[in-house]
Amino acid sequence: MVKKAAQAQPNLLLRKARLERGWTQKDVAEKIGAPLDLNVTRWERGNARPSAFYVQKLCELFGKSATELGLLLEETTEVPASSLPAEPVQEAQYWNVPFQRNPFFIGHADLLDSLHHHMRRNRSAALTSSQALVGLGGIGKTQIAIEYAYRYRDHYAAVFWIRAGSVETLLTDYAALAFLLRLPDQESKDEMRIVSATKAWLAQHKQWLLILDNADDLSLLTEFIPTGGDGHLLLTTQAQATGRIAERFPVEKLELEESLLLLLRRAKLLSLSAPLERVTQEVMHYARIVVEELDGLPLALDQAAAYVEETGCSLAEYLQLYRKQRLNMLNRQSQVSADYPHTVASTWSLSFTKVEQANPAAADLLRVCAFLHPDAIPEIFLLEEASHLGASLAEAVRDPFSFHEMLQLLRRYSLVKRDADAKLLNLHRLVQVVLKESLSQEVRRLWAARAVRFVNAVFPEVSFDIWARCELCLSQVQVCAEWIEEYELAFPEAVRLLHQAGCYLRERGLYQRAEIFLQQALRVSKQALGAEHPDTASVLTDLGELYSARGDYEVAERLYQDAFNVHNKTLGIMHAKTATDLNNLGMLYTKRGKYAQAEPLLQQALSIREQVLGDGHSDVAEGLNNMAWVYYKQGKYTQAEPLYQRALRLREQLLGAEHPRTAESLDNLAIIYRLQGKYAQAEALHQRAFVIYEQVLGLQHPDTAVSLLAQALLQQAQQHYQQAQILYERAQSIFECALGQNHPRVAQTLYYLGQLATEQYAYEHAETLYLRSLQIREHALGVEHPDTVSVRTALAELQYAQQVQPSGEQ
């Protein structure tokens, strides 16, 4: 046994943890950002102890506690000397890596560890272990290969580097390798004989590492890959399919923290050993934006940092210039560092050219992807609606074999990634930037318009049963909205896309996002179709519904009236859209307590719908429901009940038992039953309705909160005050979050809570609730609104009750 005192004897626990991973002391120092490997040497020898900062870093690195690493031990600890793995004892006899180690290399720790593990596992089998770093140009494959070579050089007797971008470079570098090894055939005029001699040397020797860099065309490697020997073969390639040649190790973009460290350290805004906390808030702010716009691509971050260092500009200045001249900045070569001969733009431009030459339709597919959201492009959309993307691409997509050939070509250069299970395509944001910026303004506008027409074609007419497809399209709609604005695209498809997306978001209760799309749809519709067009009026209608739901009744009324005027003028009174406008106005007047104006409008709308659409239509069910509601608001429960029952039967028949509109009818009928004292029947209907809302709309939707209110009222009617309190408070929280604190629904909930407090003789609390409700209702509904009057009445009754029976006395 070896005895160890914490500060005087060697720290064998720390050394053991390091050796188990095959790391040198320098490796550990670099991984934790220690300035010199001398620090790790002193810690292991027991001559010094790491600071709290490095203790934390070491614990994170090894996944162990400070005690398990012997960093905080005061008493003597015994560690069996035999349990310590052996240090790498050799140094590479042959070494021709043409690059210096990158002092700014960061990230990919798990990838390097996994790569090393896979390399070592086949050593005992006397076989060549082949691995491939796979990814987009500029993603950092070469840098990872360089880091691997330096990090594990002591594990190899020979480390060789060969450029595999072409047959010429392969032959040249194999000849150089033969010269390095002093092979007898090194002077042969037969180049392939030199290659064979080199491969024979590899087959006869052990513990070598051969790196084939930029092996993007794997078909070139057939005659160059060693077929035997106890060594390791590491490829870097853009090709995502490596077949039997090598096991794939995909290289992903850097994480946020890694990207920030690379940018700031490479720009000399942060020292190599300093943490991010040393950076000022202003610098960090702009660094985050730069990293986001460059999307974690190491080569792009290196170029940006080099520009900042070489010009002395700030990150804010760089960002401003980049946004004006993206392609020029991505094409700029550093004047100081020339480790990588290509820039982001030149790397990908070469790939684009090869794709264009090999398959023009694949190039068009890449262009359309450049004008869509990059993270999730459903393949099914491309297969269904490629006719909107140009003749060449439309023709190619019709044949599944041709479609797969296009994807194979794009994946050869890692320009797109494919999720085979989800059938989704994605690409790096900077690939989009370079593609778009390489096009003329006219061609960019053409592809932007194609993207808008394409996404419009795949976006369905909004209805509950296809919400999932609407959600799948939403990220693409957001991108298209930006193209519509930037290129002033004013055509009917643009109007429809914005309109339908706004309606979908409104149905989901996402009012703020819905308003943006509907307002933009209105502007584009007026420009493309004119203010007097029926489709423009339809946008007005849906925008009015949005403002009505938000409690902006005056704005909603103006929009409803404008929509009615256009529809009545262009379509006539006996039209379903005109009936919808009358219905909406009637509902709005009901909300505002103007029952005398509301009832004839709702009756007229229902009559038109029955004549134009027939009795078995969902709009007729809506009309019946709304007529019942105006009767209910006036206390005419016997007239409301049969209408609610008819509406429920129609909705169950037409929309299904699980539709939100069916849930609305269930709740409405349950309210009537509650008022009639039929509590058991009411509770059963409320429970059915709430399950639908919870499953379909979610627990944060305003309609779900309305259902909670109805249940709370039922519990209160049965004097189940605690359950009622809980339900009211849940509803209030949802309303405040979704609609804001000054919405009439919030005021309604406060009013009900005031009633609940009054029934429990908590008069002071009730008064506070009533006053808050009154303030909101006076502002939102007006002082003469029946709901406002009801609060003032409740306050008056409360004051009388307080005089007769003080608060808290029963």
Side-chain angles (χ1 to χ4, degrees):
M1 304 294 283
V2 178
K3 295 207 171 191
K4 170 190 171 294
Q7 295 186 354
Q9 298 297 323
N11 185 339
L12 299 183
L13 292 173
L14 178 60
R15 183 165 176 257
K16 179 183 178 183
R18 174 177 62 80
L19 294 177
E20 284 176 343
R21 288 160 175 78
W23 294 338
T24 65
Q25 292 173 336
K26 189 173 183 180
D27 291 337
V28 174
E30 290 171 347
K31 288 174 180 291
I32 65 174
L36 298 170
D37 56 343
L38 180 62
N39 282 348
V40 180
T41 303
R42 295 176 66 201
W43 297 339
E44 289 190 0
R45 290 176 178 175
N47 295 332
R49 295 177 64 186
S51 67
F53 173 79
Y54 286 119
V55 168
Q56 180 180 352
K57 288 290 185 181
L58 287 166
C59 292
E60 292 173 355
L61 177 64
F62 290 106
K64 295 176 178 289
S65 69
T67 301
E68 290 172 318
L69 291 174
L71 299 175
L72 298 179
L73 294 179
E74 296 297 336
E75 66 276 5
T76 298
T77 302
E78 293 188 346
V79 180
S82 60
S83 71
L84 296 176
E87 286 274 12
V89 294
Q90 64 185 11
E91 183 174 346
Q93 180 181 358
Y94 298 103
W95 174 273
N96 77 334
V97 176
F99 303 102
Q100 295 294 320
R101 194 170 192 176
N102 184 355
F104 304 107
F105 181 86
I106 193 167
H108 304 296
D110 291 341
L111 175 59
L112 286 164
D113 289 345
S114 179
L115 189 62
H116 185 54
H117 170 74
H118 281 76
M119 290 286 200
R120 295 177 64 189
R121 70 180 181 182
N122 289 331
R123 174 168 290 177
S124 60
L127 297 171
T128 300
S129 176
S130 301
Q131 321 296 332
L133 295 168
V134 175
L136 179 68
I139 201 70
K141 304 181 297 296
T142 297
Q143 290 299 319
I144 294 172
I146 295 170
E147 177 63 23
Y148 183 87
Y150 276 95
R151 184 172 294 191
Y152 298 108
R153 66 184 300 176
D154 293 340
H155 293 258
Y156 295 98
V159 178
F160 303 126
W161 189 284
I162 287 181
R163 297 168 297 157
S166 66
V167 172
E168 290 75 15
T169 58
L170 283 162
L171 290 171
T172 299
D173 285 5
Y174 261 97
L177 189 54
F179 180 80
L180 175 67
L181 297 172
R182 299 179 181 179
L183 300 180
D185 291 324
Q186 62 177 292
E187 300 294 342
S188 174
K189 294 182 179 180
D190 184 347
E191 294 176 316
M192 290 308 299
R193 183 173 179 176
I194 297 175
V195 172
S196 297
T198 307
K199 289 167 60 179
W201 186 94
L202 294 170
Q204 296 166 8
H205 290 77
K206 298 179 179 181
Q207 292 182 292
W208 48 260
L209 171 65
L210 176 63
I211 299 171
L212 299 181
D213 188 33
N214 291 327
D216 298 329
D217 188 349
L218 298 179
S219 65
L220 302 179
L221 303 183
T222 305
E223 302 297 326
F224 295 92
I225 293 181
T227 54
D230 180 11
H232 297 161
L233 178 65
L234 178 61
L235 283 66
T236 71
T237 178
Q238 294 181 21
Q240 293 181 38
T242 56
R244 296 181 180 179
I245 294 176
E247 184 176 356
R248 294 173 66 254
F249 281 79
V251 179
E252 305 296 341
K253 63 186 181 182
L254 294 175
E255 299 293 337
L256 174 61
E257 183 175 350
E258 297 166 345
S259 298
L260 289 168
L261 285 170
L262 173 57
L263 175 68
L264 295 168
R265 289 174 176 174
R266 175 66 182 82
K268 308 298 175 60
L269 299 175
L270 184 69
S271 67
L272 285 176
S273 60
L276 287 173
E277 289 72 20
R278 300 280 180 85
V279 178
T280 65
Q281 287 187 348
E282 181 181 6
V283 171
M284 181 60 72
H285 169 73
Y286 287 107
R288 284 177 177 273
I289 298 175
V290 171
V291 164
E292 181 179 346
E293 298 216 7
L294 299 182
D295 202 19
L297 189 79
L299 181 56
L301 292 167
D302 184 83
Q303 286 180 225
Y307 185 89
V308 170
E309 181 195 10
E310 293 168 20
T311 64
C313 74
S314 66
L315 287 173
E317 290 171 320
Y318 170 84
L319 187 62
Q320 185 177 19
L321 185 59
Y322 171 76
R323 287 174 171 173
K324 292 180 179 178
Q325 302 185 48
R326 285 183 171 88
L327 189 59
N328 287 339
M329 299 299 283
L330 293 174
N331 206 24
R332 181 186 181 277
Q333 181 71 54
S334 170
Q335 302 301 308
V336 177
S337 174
D339 286 347
Y340 192 74
H342 299 292
T343 64
V344 171
S346 65
T347 298
W348 294 341
S349 294
L350 182 61
S351 299
F352 299 158
T353 300
K354 291 179 179 178
V355 170
E356 184 78 62
Q357 293 171 347
N359 190 330
D364 279 351
L365 176 58
L366 192 60
R367 289 187 187 99
V368 73
C369 288
F371 286 84
L372 297 173
H373 193 283
D375 292 341
I377 304 171
E379 292 180 19
I380 187 66
F381 291 176
L382 295 166
L383 298 174
E384 289 176 350
E385 301 295 345
S387 60
H388 298 274
L389 302 175
S392 172
L393 183 55
E395 181 66 26
V397 168
R398 288 194 186 100
D399 179 10
F401 179 79
S402 297
F403 181 65
H404 290 156
E405 288 287 299
M406 289 190 290
L407 292 180
Q408 179 186 8
L409 179 60
L410 297 177
R411 293 180 75 243
R412 184 183 304 168
Y413 301 100
S414 288
L415 293 171
V416 300
K417 291 183 180 180
R418 187 188 193 194
D419 185 332
D421 295 329
K423 294 292 189 293
L424 295 173
L425 302 180
N426 66 78
L427 67 166
H428 197 279
R429 282 166 172 76
L430 288 188
V431 172
Q432 293 185 308
V433 169
V434 174
L435 270 169
K436 288 181 291 193
E437 296 292 330
S438 301
L439 303 174
S440 67
Q441 184 74 5
E442 182 180 356
V443 175
R444 270 189 297 220
R445 192 178 193 280
L446 169 67
W447 281 102
R450 284 179 175 177
V452 170
R453 289 189 168 94
F454 166 69
V455 176
N456 172 67
V458 301
F459 200 97
E461 291 293 321
V462 178
S463 63
F464 157 70
D465 56 318
I466 51 174
W467 276 4
R469 185 178 175 103
C470 294
E471 187 66 30
L472 192 60
C473 294
L474 207 54
S475 62
Q476 305 300 344
V477 178
Q478 183 60 57
V479 174
C480 287
E482 295 172 8
W483 298 139
I484 292 168
E485 192 74 23
E486 180 175 345
Y487 293 106
E488 298 181 355
L489 303 177
F491 44 77
E493 295 90 340
V495 176
R496 181 196 170 276
L497 177 61
L498 295 167
H499 185 189
Q500 290 298 313
C503 289
Y504 166 69
L505 290 168
R506 185 199 64 212
E507 289 296 310
R508 298 305 300 261
L510 302 171
Y511 298 141
Q512 188 172 2
R513 294 172 64 190
E515 182 182 13
I516 293 171
F517 281 142
L518 288 173
Q519 286 286 8
Q520 188 179 6
L522 182 60
R523 291 194 302 272
V524 177
S525 188
K526 287 180 178 179
Q527 183 181 353
L529 306 173
E532 298 284 308
H533 195 280
D535 288 352
T536 304
S538 295
V539 180
L540 289 168
T541 297
D542 287 308
L543 196 54
E545 287 192 31
L546 171 67
Y547 284 116
S548 178
R550 284 173 42 176
D552 298 331
Y553 297 141
E554 292 184 4
V555 177
E557 182 175 1
R558 184 169 64 252
L559 293 167
Y560 284 153
Q561 192 63 58
D562 289 346
F564 171 76
N565 292 338
V566 174
H567 280 145
N568 189 36
K569 180 179 178 181
T570 58
L571 304 177
I573 193 68
M574 295 302 293
H575 193 279
K577 289 187 176 181
T578 313
T580 296
D581 296 328
L582 292 169
N583 174 80
N584 290 340
L585 282 166
M587 288 294 289
L588 185 65
Y589 289 143
T590 303
K591 289 180 180 179
R592 303 185 71 176
K594 301 178 181 180
Y595 306 130
Q597 293 173 259
E599 191 170 337
L601 289 172
L602 291 171
Q603 185 62 61
Q604 185 182 9
L606 177 59
S607 176
I608 295 171
R609 285 172 165 176
E610 287 175 334
Q611 295 178 60
V612 173
L613 303 174
D615 291 339
H617 195 278
S618 59
D619 284 359
V620 172
E622 180 189 41
L624 291 167
N625 181 80
N626 295 344
M627 278 300 305
W629 189 56
V630 76
Y631 288 143
Y632 155 73
K633 293 294 288 184
Q634 297 175 83
K636 302 176 181 179
Y637 305 139
T638 56
Q639 292 171 264
E641 183 178 357
L643 294 177
Y644 275 145
Q645 290 172 335
R646 283 183 59 195
L648 175 59
R649 286 195 298 271
L650 268 178
R651 283 175 165 173
E652 287 179 328
Q653 178 185 345
L654 299 171
L655 304 177
E658 305 300 320
H659 196 283
R661 292 290 169 264
T662 303
E664 179 189 36
S665 290
L666 289 168
D667 267 339
N668 288 340
L669 188 57
I671 290 170
I672 297 298
Y673 289 155
R674 169 177 60 80
L675 294 170
Q676 294 172 345
K678 303 174 182 177
Y679 298 143
Q681 292 173 263
E683 185 160 6
L685 294 180
H686 279 319
Q687 287 297 330
R688 280 182 58 193
F690 183 74
V691 169
I692 297 171
Y693 283 129
E694 182 181 27
Q695 293 179 351
V696 176
L697 301 182
L699 290 174
Q700 300 305 313
H701 196 283
D703 288 356
T704 306
V706 172
S707 186
L708 288 170
L709 277 188
Q711 292 182 64
L713 286 166
L714 178 61
Q715 294 300 320
Q716 183 177 343
Q718 300 174 82
Q719 297 185 349
H720 300 158
Y721 295 137
Q722 186 175 359
Q723 294 95 317
Q725 180 84 22
I726 294 170
L727 293 168
Y728 281 138
E729 289 175 352
R730 284 180 62 189
Q732 182 182 8
S733 176
I734 296 170
F735 285 140
E736 288 181 343
C737 182
L739 306 174
Q741 294 186 346
N742 295 316
H743 192 277
R745 283 292 189 188
V746 175
Q748 181 185 26
T749 311
L750 291 169
Y751 174 71
Y752 290 150
L753 281 166
Q755 289 185 316
L756 185 67
T758 301
E759 290 183 23
Q760 298 176 84
Y761 305 101
Y763 295 144
E764 291 182 4
H765 183 50
E767 183 177 14
T768 300
L769 294 166
Y770 283 146
L771 288 172
R772 285 177 59 197
S773 176
L774 180 63
Q775 183 181 18
I776 297 171
R777 283 180 165 175
E778 285 182 339
H779 177 74
L781 305 175
V783 294
E784 300 301 326
H785 192 282
D787 288 348
T788 308
V789 173
S790 67
V791 182
R792 287 202 296 269
T793 302
L795 276 168
E797 292 175 349
L798 181 64
Q799 290 172 357
Y800 176 76
Q802 287 176 304
Q803 294 174 359
V804 174
Q805 184 172 338
S807 180
E809 295 184 10
Q810 300 183 32

